[in-house]
Amino acid sequence: MSQVVDIERYDLDIKRNSSSHHTEQCGKERLIVRRGQPFNITLHLKPGSKEFKPGDESFTLIVETGPLPRKESDTKATFGLSDSTADDEWSASASYDPSGNSVSVSISSSPNAPIGLYSLTLDQDGQKTSLGQFTLLFNPWCTRDAVYMRSETKRQEYVLAQYGLIYRGAATRIKGKPWNFGQFEPGILDICLKILDDNPKFISDADKDCCARRNPIYVTRVLSAMINSNNDRGVLVGEWQDFTGGVHPGKWIGSGDILHQWTESGPVRFGQCWVFAALACTVSRALGIPCRVVTNFGSAHDSDANLMIENLYDEDGERMSNGDSIWNFHVWVDSWMTRPDLGTDFDGWQTSDPTPQETSDDVFCCGPSSLKAIREGELTKKYDAPFIFAEVNADVVDLVRLSSGKFVQFSGSTKSVGQYISTKAVGSDDRHDITHQYKYPEGSKEERQVYEKAQHHNNLLQRGEEPGLHLKIKLADNMIVGSDFEVHAVLTNNCVDARICTFLFFAKAVGYNGKLGDSCGFTSDKVEVPSGEERRMSLRLEYERYGSAITSDRLIQVSAITIDKQITNYHKAEKTIVLDEPEIHIKLLGEATVRQSVTASLTLLNPLPEPLQDCSFTVEGVGLTEGKPLTARIEAVGLKQEAKASFEFSPTSAGPCVLLVNFDSDKLKNIMSSINVVVKESASTEANTV
């Protein structure tokens, strides 16, 4: 008869397992391991228990995940002991320590197992003993896992880093904004698993959904839909105009606060593209999928799927509305995985976009789509390749509608879309330009060939460009918000004959998504430009006028248009001004030491010629503020006066950390900065270590 060993208690050896599975930052309260890699538990036997024999066939382990665990769905596995663990399936081996009267069991999960919360049970001839629970994650360190990433420095950046930079602004003025991803902060992993459990696919068929969680392609697509709230009770509500009843997107400086609010009270108001992308990055990294936040400057929104952005104007140079637009910048995420559904040529980075723009399979989600498919114009490769290709590589055409109703192209560009595609560099705060990963160099033979192939896939004809006068815009050197300054439009006549035309020069506030707002200035004139000469027109932009028109993005679009109706000749030049923002000065008063209070002093000079109301500073830092933002509200700040605040906090962990700071007020929002903080161990901790 097979023996049954009596177990007094079990030890999941969380500290050692967490270290070997790179999950020690998740805390010491629970066992979190990565698939395809062994973890060890210890069974302490009762005194007098029968001796354990490694070859005992009655010793069976059962792992289960999901509400309806089934072997057919790979959400349940039953396996006995063998001499060693296997590489490609659930397996276990064991050894007996007579001196400690204990059994050490090594368990290895399948590298293709569904991720999630598992129960672990020991079955000895029908006598079952619970051995607790563990959470299984994707494993970028395992060569057999679909998310395997070869480089350790990249794994440190794209899986383990809890701080990053998100690039914003415009192609001519790129600014990195700090963000706390905080994927290992207390409670975050549970929230990430709840996001999966709240998705409509789980609700309609839990068994099928949990089985599919073995596949990072599936999980990434679910996250793309669940990060926004458009089709479900997803995490974040998008808003680009009226922020009444919620938080302005520019006030967020980390993912943790948003995720906690969602799990407590449902969809959080409000977010925009960089917030959606940051949340997707946090959740992906928490689940073990390597992920990076990517910003595309000059990002096209192709609403009619023809791979072109068509800007329509009337005969007087006024912009006519249509569905196409070009965002000053747009932010999404790339996730690293294999694509067995497409073939090995399309492995690697995959783009997905959680910002709700267009539907895919009747749901507001986008991707994942292989960067290699985008680069090569392989638009038949799923998911959503045509939309993403257009975001980085659409051609732009400017069309004027004549009084006859006919549209005539007068300008355009094959180079303005998809510029300076940016992500944080590995291991540093430098900007890494990854445009070459998305597209061939603009204007190159390869780039045009790819575009033509993409157009063929969309069953369209390529349009050409029409030459004309040379028109350009020159900006001022110092354009800080609150100041007055001049911009200039220069029209050069390279034709043989003189030209007489109407010269329009205007400025409008614009959101980062390309939506135009109120006028900030306008001037016009009828000019004659002799052959070989130029004419210059100046436009003064005054805070008194633009201050109330601009959004928190602090963007102004200046456009110059020349019109010669006699020969139906139109020309256009356009630039986006990114107004400089004031600097937050951060000073740490004293050394930062674990569990000891330290103070940070903050100051910001109000650059506006008017007072600021409802002012506040918010700080947050992984390992510094216990995963929670701290806010100090201050009174009104007069014109050209300083806003001041100080924060006292006690760091919780030693090593390099980053303190993020955000300033907010009624007229000046989305001002961010950060400071690197090196936290030292306390003297008592060092003494105990010694």
Side-chain angles (χ1 to χ4, degrees), residues 9-135:
R9 60 185 175 87
Y10 62 87
D11 180 3
L12 297 180
D13 201 358
I14 294 174
K15 183 176 181 180
R16 185 172 62 167
N17 285 322
S18 296
S19 177
S20 61
H21 284 254
H22 309 279
T23 59
E24 61 268 36
Q25 294 186 79
C26 295
K28 304 176 182 178
E29 293 73 30
R30 57 196 287 192
L31 179 59
I32 302 171
V33 295
R34 301 186 186 275
R35 63 184 193 174
Q37 180 178 338
F39 62 94
N40 300 296
I41 65 173
T42 303
L43 308 178
H44 296 276
L45 309 184
K46 292 181 179 179
S49 171
K50 292 183 179 180
E51 182 180 345
F52 169 80
K53 295 182 179 179
D56 184 3
E57 295 180 357
S58 70
F59 202 92
T60 302
L61 291 166
I62 304 170
V63 291
E64 298 176 307
T65 186
L68 301 167
R70 299 191 314 137
K71 291 182 180 179
E72 296 81 0
S73 301
D74 287 336
T75 51
K76 178 179 180 179
T78 302
F79 48 98
L81 298 177
S82 56
D83 293 337
S84 61
T85 56
D87 289 339
D88 56 353
E89 61 183 359
W90 286 94
S91 59
S93 62
S95 60
Y96 177 60
D97 178 11
S99 62
N101 197 28
S102 63
V103 179
S104 178
V105 183
S106 177
I107 301 171
S108 184
S109 61
S110 165
N112 298 309
I115 64 165
L117 180 64
Y118 279 77
S119 64
L120 177 62
T121 304
L122 172 63
D123 186 349
Q124 299 182 87
D125 286 341
Q127 179 178 321
K128 295 184 178 180
T129 304
S130 172
L131 301 180
Q133 294 179 319
F134 63 94
T135 301

